[in-house]
Amino acid sequence: MSANILLVDDSPTVRNILKIYLMNLKMGFVEAEDATRALQLLRLVPVKLVIADINMPGMDGITFVKQVRMSPLAQVRDVPVILLTGERGGDLRQRGVEAGANAFINKPVSHHDLTETVRKFLAQN
């Protein structure tokens, strides 16, 4: 069975770009259009890593990370989460770190930054 990365973004275009950038890693992808669906998928499908947008309708990425970290299931609670953000303010990153995010990647997403960050977390698993 292939290892999976969960991509959480309300934009199908962004999810496709992430898949294209990461296809050389030979991973499987699971996709969610919002954080609520992502939480459901985390309970059902084992994933090695989550890449989630901070700005999503409904539950935002920071609240999503808090929900992940509060899960009673270790497979959910312990998964590394990388947050994507187009905002440059330090307050948002600080709130993300406090929620339990493992890393941040700025939008527009750099192929190199994304790949190197993902490789780092996959190597730890």
Side-chain angles (χ1 to χ4, degrees):
M1 180 172 79
S2 168
N4 292 308
I5 296 174
L6 174 57
L7 306 175
V8 189
D9 198 301
D10 55 310
S11 167
T13 303
V14 170
R15 294 194 310 266
N16 284 332
I17 290 169
L18 295 174
K19 287 191 293 189
I20 290 166
Y21 282 1
L22 296 173
M23 71 176 151
N24 287 341
L25 298 180
K26 309 275 192 269
M27 300 290 292
F29 297 101
V30 181
E31 297 182 51
E33 64 284 347
D34 61 47
T36 302
R37 179 71 179 137
L39 289 170
Q40 293 170 339
L41 287 169
L42 280 172
R43 290 189 291 270
L44 300 171
V45 181
V47 299
K48 294 239 181 227
L49 179 71
V50 176
I51 301 172
D53 192 14
I54 285 184
N55 294 315
M56 294 182 285
M59 185 187 314
D60 67 27
I62 292 173
T63 305
F64 167 71
V65 174
K66 288 178 183 175
Q67 293 294 315
V68 167
R69 297 299 177 236
M70 292 185 330
S71 174
L73 301 171
Q75 76 181 36
V76 174
R77 184 179 57 243
D78 298 337
V79 69
V81 179
I82 298 170
L83 290 176
L84 302 176
T85 181
E87 298 182 29
R88 302 290 186 238
D91 175 60
L92 193 61
R93 285 178 183 255
Q94 182 61 34
R95 288 183 17 234
V97 167
E98 289 169 2
N102 298 90
F104 296 85
I105 294 179
N106 288 325
K107 286 181 174 180
V109 175
S110 152
H111 178 261
H112 178 265
D113 290 348
L114 178 67
T115 304
E116 291 307 307
T117 303
V118 168
R119 283 180 204 257
K120 179 177 86 169
F121 286 103
L122 294 179
Q124 294 172 4
N125 286 337

